[in-house]
């Protein structure tokens, strides 16, 4: 199980990555994070929304009420230009971080 | 299925988010929980699923989300006021204002009056005090003062000037000048002109180049240099018909020839409304520092010099000079002051700034009116605002909307106010036409004045829009929507309006007190019995062209004889001045009395007159005799004193036969025998309260040193006037110019110009403030009555009479009026006491004026209350109870 600190640090990065290709609503994000991490990362209402609103406050993402055919009005989050830049930057630093960890620990990917 | 919304709403309630934000957050979280619940139930069952999710909802972390949500609601300008939203606001504002044209007209008229009057006042201040001299970098033109500043002592001994000029480093050009007037002849007629004798530095300091020829070089100031002159534009144009070959031609000034070397451009009259400049040719090199003529010193500071450093330098220079100062000369320090500030009396600044403050109060009253109008709209629109809020308008949007409406009103008012200001400025300039005023004064709606209008409008829109805006933002949505009768929600609006009205009444009362005293002063001034005739009296001044006493008297004999021979006159007068302001100040001594201190000597205003004084000014001799034709050079010197003189210095005892001497303690003049008593004449003077002072009339023909003579004729308009006077003087001596020709009424008017013009402006301010606050009171009363229609209906249905209702409404208004009026009267009394010097023949505690102000205000307030009150009695109980 991932520690809380690590989870918090990575959560923003995860949300940004998930919104890169399309806009999604809150529950969708929670489910995707859970399924893609095979249940290692879990969120709930109390942890997800502070994160989303924080990212919205920083101008990385924007929430909009959108009505899609056959569905009720939902609040969808999409990436802003600033969010995209942040995502790139975080990707780079993750890459560096992982490389560094690998060098130090000798862990190799298969 | 479980209703998550209620749980979430309960969880969010303590945070009191904006209704719209709260609703959105509830919806978003509810959808999330619903979806999660649906996923959980199949695996864990309904009970556990609900419990898990409710636990999430209780989690402290959610508070962080709420806090962020709140911050998201009011971020950057982009969301609160983009161009599109503000354009939308303006359109919405215009639409909603169009629906209430009454508000628009009332608001615009009030603000336009306030802005217009304030702008007139500001253009006067700008044109006279701020705009400065019409020269380049005029802020660097400064005067050097070295004397008692409280005495307006702005001159320096020429000997001191020479040393300053040699040692100083602050000025790039520094010059000295003396002022005077002279008779100019050569050309078709003699003329009286204002002359400045200047050193080269004076004209150089202005940086203005002559239109033709050159100005003075230092060599022109040498005592042996040829006599040269520089002409002003007006003389060159009028007297020499703009002759382009004028250079080198000769003019005669007081009989001496001067050769013209240059002509200055139009409007150039530096340093003090001069027409002709002559070089000062005093040899300063031999003068000790504390000797030589008194001169004005003016210069242009170097670009790198500051007033602070220049002041320090001149303080040092003057302290070096003060070592050698003669005994009894006080040890003043020289100072450097910007030109306009140095030459205008400080009183001008005080009066103009006080006027600006007063007119800003009028604007404040106007703003209060508009605030009340908008509050009234807010109150009528509580439901609209409630619905807009419920539909998602943020508080900021509501505030913005209210401010947009007041800004629209202020913008229209700025345009109308500018038109009012144009009229006001034209009026002000019209009063100045025949007045001597500083040459740099240029009162127009200059661009900075227009910028001031824009600033005023902005200020007015904020002042008048902010209270209603805050009020509407504070309205509680749910209670408005629930509140059918609208009474509860309007309560606070009503109270605020009443406070505003009380403040308005207070300001108006204060202004009205000042207005009352000024009106009283002006009425006194207009109706004053001066003690001498002013209607049908025409006056002029001649400057005597010779210093020879015998020839002076020959000339005067001739003029007196010829004037007396004019047909149809009641009298013809010659003297050394005119009654009124024109009487000189002197110190007397009474024979047989001893005075220990200098200030114990009697003071008196004096006038040397011919026998024609008494018929011309219709002054009757009360006892003894007046000045007669026998009182001439060689006969026993005589004086006629007035009643005030007798009462003050002889304690009412008969002074005839007693002797007095003029000229103060060290006087060596002759003793004058008192031969008669006249009534006390009106003789005001600037800066002194006593307008009916002791006076001494002496015989003009016994005067030793004469420089100029005032003439006056009394008779029907077709026999007096400038033409016969010019003709008579020209027939006696064609070289003597006649100037300052005007009626005696105009002479007095000119002397009272300040009180007349500024008094009239103040009266306008006072009336506008009164009307505005009466309208404000009316609007508030009318609104409150309409609000209480139902209550009135019930009262009347239960048997209250119309009188009861009227009394009730008036009682309600009476409190604001009483509070406002009391505060205003106290403030007004303080203002009037401080401005006592501006009053004319009225005491600052005159109860009559206060009574009048109370009466006028109470009358206006009564009308403002009674109309809505009477309307209240017409309420049909049935209709009132049905309204919602």
């Amino acid at each position: 199980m991932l520690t809380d600190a690590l989870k918090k640090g990575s959560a923003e990065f995860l949300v940004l990555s998930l919104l890169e290709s399309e806009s999604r609503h809150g529950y969708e994000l929670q489910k995707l994070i859970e399924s893609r991490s095979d249940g290692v990362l879990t969120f709930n209402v109390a942890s997800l929304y502070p994160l989303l609103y924080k990212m919205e406050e920083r101008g990385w993402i924007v929430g909009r009420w959108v009505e899609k055919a056959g569905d009720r009005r939902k609040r969808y989050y999409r990436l802003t230009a600033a969010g995209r830049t942040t995502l790139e930057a975080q990707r780079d630093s993750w890459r560096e971080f992982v490389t560094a960890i690998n060098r130090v620990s000798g862990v190799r990917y298969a | 299925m479980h209703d998550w919304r209620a749980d979430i709403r309960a969880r969010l309630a303590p945070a009191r988010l904006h209704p719209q934000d709260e609703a959105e957050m509830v919806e978003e979280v509810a959808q999330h929980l619903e979806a999660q619940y649906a996923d959980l139930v199949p695996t864990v069952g309904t009970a556990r699923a609900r419990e898990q999710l409710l636990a999430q909802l209780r989690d402290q972390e959610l508070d962080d989300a709420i806090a962020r949500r709140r911050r998201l609601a009011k971020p950057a300008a982009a969301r609160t006021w983009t161009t599109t939203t503000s354009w939308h606001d303006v359109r919405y504002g215009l639409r909603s204002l169009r629906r209430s044209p009454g508000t628009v007209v009332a608001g615009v008229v009030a603000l336009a009056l306030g802005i217009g009057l304030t702008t007139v006042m500001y253009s006067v201040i700008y044109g006279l005090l701020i705009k400065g001299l019409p020269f380049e970098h005029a802020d660097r033109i400064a005067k050097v003062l070295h004397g008692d500043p409280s005495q307006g002592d702005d001159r320096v001994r020429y000997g001191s000037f020479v040393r300053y000029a040699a040692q100083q480093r602050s000025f790039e050009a520094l010059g000295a000048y003396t002022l005077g007037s002279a008779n100019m002849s050569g050309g078709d007629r003699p003329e009286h002109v204002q002359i400045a004798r200047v050193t080269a530095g004076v004209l150089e300091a202005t940086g203005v180049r002559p239109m033709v020829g050159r100005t003075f070089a230092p060599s022109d100031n040498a005592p042996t240099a040829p006599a040269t002159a520089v002409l002003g534009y007006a003389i060159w144009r009028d007297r020499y018909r703009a002759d382009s070959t004028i250079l080198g031609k000769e003019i005669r000034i007081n009989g001496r020839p001067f050769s013209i070397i240059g002509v200055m451009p139009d409007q150039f009259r530096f340093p003090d409304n001069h027409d002709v400049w002559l070089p000062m040719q005093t040899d300063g090199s031999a003068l000790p520092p504390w000797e030589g003529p008194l001169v004005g010193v003016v210069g242009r500071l170097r670009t790198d010099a500051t007033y602070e450093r220049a002041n320090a330098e001149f303080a040092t220079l003057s302290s070096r000079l003060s070592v050698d100062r003669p005994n009894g000369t006080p040890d003043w320090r020289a100072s450097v002051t910007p030109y306009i500030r140095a030459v205008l009396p400080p009183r001008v600044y005080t009066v103009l700034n006080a006027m600006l403050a007063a007119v800003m109060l009028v604007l404040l009253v106007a703003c209060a009116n508009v605030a009340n109008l908008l509050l009234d709209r807010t109150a009528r629109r509580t439901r609209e605002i409630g619905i807009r809020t419920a539909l998602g308008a943020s508080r900021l949007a509501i505030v913005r909307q209210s401010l947009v409406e007041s800004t629209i009103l202020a913008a229209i008012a700025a345009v109308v106010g500018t038109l009012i200001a144009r009229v006001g400025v034209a009026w002000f300039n019209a009063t100045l036409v025949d007045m001597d005023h500083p040459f740099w004064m240029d009162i127009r709606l200059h661009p900075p004045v227009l910028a001031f209008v824009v600033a005023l409008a902005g200020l007015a829109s904020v002042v008048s829009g902010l209270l209603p805006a805050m009020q509407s933002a504070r309205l509680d949505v749910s209670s408005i929507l629930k509140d059918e009768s609208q009474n509860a929600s309007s309560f606070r609006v009503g109270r605020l309006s009443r406070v505003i009205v009380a403040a308005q009444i207070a300001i108006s009362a204060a202004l009205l007190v000042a207005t009352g005293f000024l009106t009283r002063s002006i009425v006194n001034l207009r109706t004053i019995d001066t003690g001498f005739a002013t209607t049908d009296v025409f006056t002029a001044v001649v400057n005597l062209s010779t210093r020879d006493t015998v020839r002076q008297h020959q000339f005067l004999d001739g003029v007196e004889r010829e004037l007396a021979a004019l047909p149809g006159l009641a009298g013809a007068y010659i003297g050394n001045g005119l009654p009124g302001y024109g009487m000189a100040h002197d110190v007397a001594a009474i024979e047989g009395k001893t005075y220990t201190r200098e200030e114990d000597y009697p003071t008196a205003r004096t006038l040397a007159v011919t026998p024609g004084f008494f018929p011309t000014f219709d002054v009757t001799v009360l006892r003894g005799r007046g000045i007669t034709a026998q009182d001439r050079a060689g006969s026993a010197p005589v004086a006629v004193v007035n009643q005030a003189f007798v009462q003050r210095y002889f304690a009412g005892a008969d002074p005839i036969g007693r002797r007095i001497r003029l000229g103060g303690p060290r006087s060596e003049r002759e003793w004058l025998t008192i031969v008669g008593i006249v009534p006390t004449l009106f003789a005001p003077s600037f800066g002194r309260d006593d307008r009916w002072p002791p006076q001494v009339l002496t015989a003009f023909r016994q005067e030793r040193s004469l420089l100029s003579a005032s003439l006056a004729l009394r008779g029907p308009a077709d026999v007096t006037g400038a033409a016969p006077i010019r003709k008579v003087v020209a027939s006696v001596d064609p070289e003597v110019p006649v100037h300052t020709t005007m009626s005696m009424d105009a002479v007095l008017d000119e002397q009272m110009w300040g009180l007349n013009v500024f008094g009239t402006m103040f009266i306008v301010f006072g009336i506008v403030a009164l009307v505005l606050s009466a309208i404000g009171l009316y609007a508030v009363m009318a609104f409150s009555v309409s609000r209480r229609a139902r209550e009135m209906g019930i009262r009347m249905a239960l048997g209250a009479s119309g009188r009861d209702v009227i009394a009730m409404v008036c009682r309600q208004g009476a409190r604001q009026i009483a509070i406002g009026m009391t505060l205003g009267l106290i403030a007004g009394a303080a203002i009037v006491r401080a401005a006592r010097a501006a009053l004319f023949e009225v005491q600052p505690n005159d109860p009559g004026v206060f009574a009048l102000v109370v009466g006028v205000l109470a009358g206006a307030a009564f009308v403002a209350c009674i109309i809505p009150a009477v309307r209240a009695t017409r309420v049909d109980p049935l209709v009132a109870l049905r309204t919602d």
Side-chain angles (χ1 to χ4, degrees):
Chain A
M1 185 83 187
L2 224 52
T3 62
D4 273 2
L6 205 52
K7 185 173 133 186
K8 268 194 179 132
S10 56
E12 290 170 4
F13 181 42
L14 287 170
V15 171
L16 287 174
S17 319
L18 287 173
L19 293 177
E20 193 185 7
S21 53
E22 58 182 303
S23 53
R24 306 174 193 279
H25 57 80
Y27 188 59
E28 200 181 348
L29 284 167
Q30 179 181 330
K31 296 265 286 181
L32 279 169
I33 293 171
E34 242 173 68
S35 63
R36 298 228 175 141
S37 68
D38 287 334
V40 174
L41 290 171
T42 56
F43 275 98
N44 61 32
V45 164
S47 52
L48 180 67
Y49 286 97
L51 176 70
L52 289 179
Y53 292 169
K54 180 168 88 184
M55 293 171 71
E56 192 172 6
E57 209 180 329
R58 289 182 181 166
W60 295 347
I61 60 173
V62 185
R64 282 267 181 278
W65 289 92
V66 179
E67 202 164 339
K68 293 198 173 164
D71 200 359
R72 55 206 277 201
R73 234 163 64 94
K74 279 186 179 148
R75 197 154 197 258
Y76 282 85
Y77 292 89
R78 65 173 173 78
L79 221 54
T80 64
R84 212 166 285 282
T85 321
T86 314
L87 176 61
E88 296 306 326
Q90 292 207 352
R91 267 205 185 115
D92 287 347
S93 55
W94 263 103
R95 227 171 264 134
E96 279 169 29
F97 179 66
V98 170
T99 323
I101 294 287
N102 287 349
R103 275 201 210 109
V104 172
S105 61
V107 176
R108 293 252 179 275
Y109 284 107
Chain B
M1 196 162 120
H2 187 82
D3 180 14
W4 297 103
R5 283 175 181 74
D7 294 315
I8 301 165
R9 207 170 285 129
R11 174 74 171 83
L12 299 185
R16 292 186 66 89
L17 287 176
H18 184 279
Q20 190 190 356
D21 292 329
E22 184 183 298
E24 285 188 3
M25 193 166 167
V26 167
E27 186 59 31
E28 183 170 28
V29 176
Q31 285 179 11
H32 190 120
L33 291 179
E34 275 165 12
Q36 206 173 351
Y37 183 74
D39 286 351
L40 275 175
V41 168
T43 48
V44 299
T46 50
R48 289 234 15 222
R50 186 158 66 212
E51 205 174 295
Q52 264 188 29
L53 296 184
L54 282 175
Q56 287 183 21
L57 212 49
R58 282 193 296 271
D59 196 321
Q60 296 286 319
E61 263 192 281
L62 204 56
D63 289 334
D64 185 36
I66 296 169
R68 288 186 189 282
R69 184 75 226 188
R70 188 199 306 286
R71 280 208 292 277
L72 270 170
K74 45 174 176 179
R79 188 176 147 174
T80 54
W81 207 326
T82 61
T83 22
T84 43
T85 56
S86 57
W87 176 235
H88 173 84
D89 282 335
V90 170
R91 279 210 325 245
Y92 185 88
L94 284 173
R95 246 197 337 263
S96 95
L97 282 174
R98 202 179 305 149
R99 280 199 303 270
S100 37
T103 304
V104 175
V105 171
V108 165
V109 167
L111 283 185
L113 280 170
I115 291 176
L117 293 179
T118 310
T119 305
V120 173
M121 211 47 240
Y122 185 74
S123 14
V124 173
I125 291 183
Y126 183 80
L128 182 63
L129 309 182
I130 300 176
K131 185 166 168 286
L133 297 170
F135 310 137
E136 254 176 62
H137 300 295
D139 52 322
R140 288 197 275 122
I141 296 180
K143 266 195 98 164
V144 175
L145 308 179
H146 190 189
D148 185 353
S150 69
Q151 296 296 309
D153 202 349
D154 62 347
R155 291 181 300 170
V156 174
R157 289 278 169 200
Y158 193 73
S160 305
F161 160 73
V162 172
R163 280 156 186 83
Y164 288 144
Q167 294 166 19
Q168 65 84 23
R169 305 187 47 76
S170 302
F171 289 92
E172 60 184 49
L174 189 69
Y177 62 89
T178 60
L179 315 175
S181 61
N183 293 345
M184 187 165 122
S185 49
D188 13 316
R189 62 194 169 96
E191 201 163 353
H192 181 73
V193 292
Q194 298 299 316
I195 291 213
R197 286 180 190 273
V198 300
T199 65
V202 171
L203 296 183
E204 192 194 334
T206 65
V208 174
R209 292 194 11 221
M211 209 176 57
V212 179
R214 63 176 182 95
T215 60
F216 302 116
S219 59
D220 291 306
N221 293 121
T224 51
T228 48
V230 172
L231 292 190
Y233 180 86
I235 289 204
W236 175 67
R237 181 193 57 202
D238 299 340
R239 198 179 165 88
Y240 294 96
R241 293 182 191 84
D243 178 2
S244 57
T245 63
I246 191 143
L247 296 183
K249 290 197 175 160
E250 194 173 83
I251 53 166
R252 297 183 80 81
I253 288 169
N254 282 350
R256 271 187 66 203
F258 288 82
S259 135
I260 296 168
I261 58 164
V263 177
M264 296 308 285
D266 195 9
Q267 305 295 330
F268 183 90
R269 307 196 67 195
F270 189 79
D272 190 17
N273 294 355
H274 290 96
D275 311 308
V276 175
W277 293 265
L278 304 179
M280 192 184 280
Q281 294 178 328
T282 310
D283 185 7
S285 56
L287 275 175
W290 291 88
E291 286 178 28
L294 282 168
V295 294
V297 176
V298 68
R300 174 180 285 268
L301 288 175
R302 283 181 202 285
T303 16
D304 56 348
T306 63
Y307 277 94
E308 205 179 7
R309 269 184 286 159
N311 263 313
E313 183 186 27
F314 273 81
T316 316
L317 291 178
S318 61
S319 68
R320 249 184 262 159
L321 283 185
S322 80
V323 176
D324 306 324
R325 71 182 190 279
N327 283 344
T329 312
D331 188 11
W332 305 114
R333 286 280 169 276
S335 64
V336 178
T337 312
Y339 184 78
I340 292 181
R341 195 163 270 280
V343 296
L344 286 181
R347 236 170 65 122
V348 172
Y349 284 80
T350 322
V351 167
L352 290 180
N353 287 330
M355 295 286 294
L356 185 65
V359 77
M360 295 282 268
L361 286 179
V362 177
L363 180 61
L364 193 61
V365 170
C367 287
N369 255 16
V370 174
N372 255 340
L373 283 171
L374 293 177
L375 270 177
D376 178 298
R377 273 167 66 77
T378 306
R380 285 180 202 280
R381 289 161 60 195
T382 41
R383 198 170 286 203
E384 175 202 327
I385 292 166
I387 291 168
R388 286 182 63 200
T389 314
L391 285 178
S394 66
R395 290 213 163 89
L396 209 69
I398 302 283
V399 166
R400 208 170 59 197
Q401 192 52 51
S402 175
L403 278 176
V404 163
E405 282 176 20
S406 70
T407 306
I408 292 173
L409 290 182
I412 305 174
V415 175
V416 181
T418 308
L419 297 178
I420 294 178
R422 277 184 74 118
V423 175
V425 165
W427 169 81
F428 188 87
N429 282 326
T431 70
L432 275 171
V433 166
D434 293 322
M435 294 280 307
D436 202 19
H437 54 80
F439 69 94
W440 68 84
M441 186 158 124
D442 179 17
I443 294 167
R444 273 184 288 140
L445 298 180
H446 293 284
V449 174
L450 294 177
F452 179 78
V453 172
V454 173
L456 274 186
L459 187 75
S461 72
V462 171
V463 171
S464 55
L466 210 55
L467 272 181
M470 280 159 38
Q471 201 63 37
S472 49
R474 241 198 279 160
L475 293 173
D476 181 18
V477 181
S478 55
S479 63
I480 294 169
L481 296 180
K482 267 183 273 169
D483 175 18
E484 298 273 304
S485 68
Q486 305 179 6
N487 273 332
S489 48
S490 68
F491 172 69
R492 265 215 313 234
V493 173
R495 196 174 50 186
L496 188 58
S497 289
R498 277 179 221 136
V499 171
I500 292 177
V501 165
Q504 254 184 325
I505 292 177
I507 295 173
S508 313
L511 282 174
L512 271 183
V513 168
T515 305
F517 277 95
L518 279 167
T519 313
R520 186 65 192 274
S521 298
I522 290 178
V523 169
N524 285 346
L525 186 66
R526 292 260 160 87
T527 58
I528 193 168
D529 180 8
T530 55
F532 52 87
T534 57
T535 38
D536 288 339
V537 177
F538 197 86
T539 73
V541 179
V542 291
N543 279 49
L544 303 175
S545 51
T546 165
R547 290 286 145 84
D548 176 40
T549 325
V550 177
R551 283 180 49 204
Q552 282 181 342
H553 281 285
Q554 278 169 1
F555 168 74
L556 292 170
D557 276 337
V559 173
E560 196 176 3
R561 195 176 49 238
E562 293 292 320
L563 286 179
L566 290 173
L569 288 185
Y573 160 81
I574 305 180
N576 67 352
L578 294 169
Y581 273 93
M583 297 176 104
H585 292 268
D586 210 337
V587 180
I590 296 167
E591 194 179 33
K593 295 204 176 178
T594 47
Y595 306 95
T596 45
R597 294 175 309 166
E598 203 160 324
E599 51 268 39
D600 294 338
Y601 282 83
T603 58
R605 306 288 297 278
T606 65
L607 192 64
V609 304
T610 56
F613 177 81
F614 302 94
T616 307
F617 291 105
D618 199 15
V619 174
T620 48
V621 178
L622 298 174
R623 272 177 55 73
R625 64 173 178 90
I627 304 293
T628 65
Q630 279 69 51
D631 299 318
R632 8 185 354 111
S635 64
V638 295
V640 171
V641 297
N642 71 351
Q643 283 176 309
F645 194 94
V646 177
Q647 264 143 32
R648 192 162 319 165
Y649 302 127
F650 289 101
D654 186 1
I656 290 184
R658 303 278 297 271
R659 300 208 302 168
I660 57 172
R661 185 170 66 187
L662 296 174
R666 284 167 291 278
S667 169
E668 290 176 359
R669 283 152 73 177
E670 292 170 295
W671 288 94
L672 310 171
T673 307
I674 298 174
V675 295
I677 302 174
V678 289
T680 300
L681 309 179
F682 173 64
S685 99
F686 294 107
R688 294 190 197 195
D689 281 343
D690 189 4
R691 293 176 174 99
W692 304 90
Q695 292 149 6
V696 176
L697 300 179
T698 58
F700 186 58
R701 308 306 295 280
Q702 291 177 335
E703 286 288 304
R704 288 285 164 76
S705 59
L706 297 174
L707 290 170
S708 69
S710 290
L711 312 180
L713 304 178
R714 183 156 69 95
D718 52 331
V719 293
T720 63
I725 296 182
R726 280 191 207 287
K727 212 172 131 197
V728 162
V729 171
S731 73
V732 180
D733 184 346
E735 292 282 288
V736 173
V738 174
H739 62 94
T740 327
T741 52
M742 60 208 295
S743 73
M744 191 65 203
D745 281 325
V747 170
L748 285 180
D749 270 356
E750 187 176 300
Q751 287 155 351
M752 291 298 182
W753 178 85
L755 182 55
N756 261 324
V757 168
F758 291 114
T760 307
M761 285 170 96
F762 220 101
I763 291 174
V764 173
F765 298 169
I767 292 173
V768 169
L770 172 70
V771 171
L772 289 180
S773 37
I775 292 174
L777 180 65
Y778 166 78
V780 170
M781 295 308 298
F783 178 63
S784 126
V785 165
S786 74
R787 276 289 140 131
R788 291 166 66 188
R790 181 198 288 240
E791 179 196 333
M792 305 288 178
I794 294 172
R795 278 171 191 272
M796 297 199 28
L798 290 178
S801 68
R803 280 174 64 145
D804 295 336
V805 170
I806 292 178
M808 193 188 78
V809 173
C810 289
R811 243 195 327 272
Q812 189 200 341
R815 252 187 66 202
Q816 293 137 257
I817 298 167
I819 295 172
M821 204 137 83
T822 312
L823 293 177
L825 290 180
I826 294 171
I831 293 170
V832 169
R833 206 160 283 275
R836 180 181 305 173
L839 300 185
F840 184 82
E841 301 285 298
V842 55
Q843 289 306 310
N845 53 6
D846 188 303
V849 176
F850 281 100
L852 190 75
V853 170
V854 171
V856 168
L857 256 182
F862 180 71
V863 173
C865 287
I866 199 76
I867 297 173
V870 167
R871 201 180 297 155
T873 63
R874 306 230 177 89
V875 170
D876 179 346
L878 283 177
V879 175
L881 292 175
R882 244 183 288 137
T883 46
D884 114 283

